[in-house]
Amino acid sequence: MKSILVVEDEPTISRVLKVYLEKNGYLVIQAYSGKEALQSFKGQSPDLVLLDVMLPDGDGWSVLTEIRRESTCPVIMLTALGDVDYRLKGLASGADDYISKPFIGEEVVARIHAVLRRSNTVFDSGKTKYYGSLKINLSSHTVYLHGQEVKFTPRDLSLFLFLVDYPNQTFTREQLIENVWGIDYDGSDRAVDLAIKRIRKSLDQWSAKEGEIKTLRGLGYQFCVYEKK
């Protein structure tokens, strides 16, 4: 049974989420503050975090930052703030999705299903690919650079492995959203740009002579490789 950590300081909203999630077969862990959220996260290792932005002892951004320092656990931000800047801030900080209040319970469940499905994607090729100092195992979906594992958020990993599966092939933002985010995604296509930026930062020690995540202006992105063995 998958466990969901619900971080929401409004007891009524937290109870509603708990009912919907338990009805759909999830184990629900409830936290009502940032401090309690981090304690529960470290102590119970949930499969996904549903994280409210506004908390009584701070904000969800700081909780997200702490989670990302040690884990790639999927995180969905939940907030009454519907401005696109807040949505982009969450995605840039490593959130996997963003839901604005007021929400429909079924939508929250559907988003959770989608994020968990992406994070659990298994690549069946069973191959390990090498691009110079970069090692990519498409079976265990792990990435190593200079022998050290590179940690990605689930969505960033899905995006990176999708591009790796089609080396030197260009994809538009719309194609990447459809294949990685899913056709039901209703956010900004800038999420692709932010994810690419994070992936590049994670691979900043990868030699430019071996490959790169390349931007083709007006066309899209590609996993461009120059040396493979």
Side-chain angles (χ1 to χ4, degrees), residues 8-74:
E8 168 60 64
D9 65 314
E10 291 289 340
T12 301
I13 296 176
S14 183
R15 283 197 297 271
V16 169
L17 289 169
K18 186 173 189 291
V19 169
Y20 272 101
L21 293 174
E22 288 184 340
K23 183 179 178 181
N24 283 272
Y26 292 109
L27 174 66
V28 178
I29 307 161
Q30 293 172 290
Y32 301 93
S33 68
K35 181 179 180 180
E36 189 178 352
L38 290 173
Q39 290 175 341
S40 297
F41 181 81
K42 294 176 181 179
Q44 302 192 53
S45 301
D47 294 291
L48 182 143
V49 180
L50 192 59
L51 176 60
D52 190 20
V53 169
M54 306 302 292
L55 297 171
D57 56 348
D59 58 55
W61 310 125
S62 58
V63 175
L64 176 61
T65 298
E66 288 298 316
I67 289 174
R68 283 290 168 260
R69 284 178 180 170
E70 61 181 73
S71 174
T72 59
C73 174

Side-chain angles (χ1 to χ4, degrees), residues 55-226:
L55 297 171
D57 56 348
D59 58 55
W61 310 125
S62 58
V63 175
L64 176 61
T65 298
E66 288 298 316
I67 289 174
R68 283 290 168 260
R69 284 178 180 170
E70 61 181 73
S71 174
T72 59
C73 174
V75 177
I76 298 177
M77 304 301 291
L78 182 65
T79 178
L81 301 171
D83 190 277
V84 68
D85 289 339
Y86 286 97
R87 184 188 296 260
L88 293 174
K89 181 177 180 179
L91 295 172
S93 301
D96 295 274
D97 206 346
Y98 185 107
I99 302 174
S100 296
K101 300 176 185 176
F103 56 80
I104 299 173
E106 289 83 355
E107 178 193 4
V108 176
V109 172
R111 295 286 189 92
I112 289 174
H113 283 338
V115 169
L116 287 175
R117 185 171 61 250
R118 287 193 295 267
S119 67
N120 292 326
T121 299
V122 176
F123 294 80
D124 297 324
S125 65
K127 297 179 180 178
T128 299
K129 296 184 178 182
Y130 296 85
Y131 300 97
S133 55
L134 187 65
K135 174 184 175 182
I136 305 166
N137 189 306
L138 297 178
S139 179
S140 63
H141 38 93
T142 51
V143 180
Y144 291 85
L145 182 61
H146 301 298
Q148 299 294 316
E149 185 173 2
V150 180
K151 295 292 186 180
F152 294 106
T153 66
R155 177 169 285 165
D156 289 357
L157 179 61
S158 294
L159 174 59
F160 179 61
L161 292 180
F162 177 80
L163 290 171
V164 167
D165 223 24
Y166 302 92
N168 299 319
Q169 182 171 331
T170 304
F171 291 92
T172 65
R173 291 182 181 87
E174 291 75 17
Q175 289 173 322
L176 292 173
I177 285 175
E178 181 177 344
N179 284 279
V180 179
W181 276 255
I183 58 175
D184 59 341
Y185 175 72
D186 62 355
S188 168
D189 62 3
R190 283 191 59 195
V192 176
D193 303 330
L194 294 169
I196 291 292
K197 182 178 180 180
R198 290 193 299 270
I199 292 171
R200 284 173 172 158
K201 183 177 180 181
S202 297
L203 300 176
D204 62 355
Q205 298 301 311
W206 189 31
S207 172
K209 295 181 180 180
E210 297 171 351
E212 62 178 318
I213 305 295
K214 190 173 183 179
T215 301
L216 285 83
R217 190 173 299 277
L219 295 176
Y221 297 104
Q222 70 171 223
F223 178 67
C224 185
V225 292
Y226 310 111

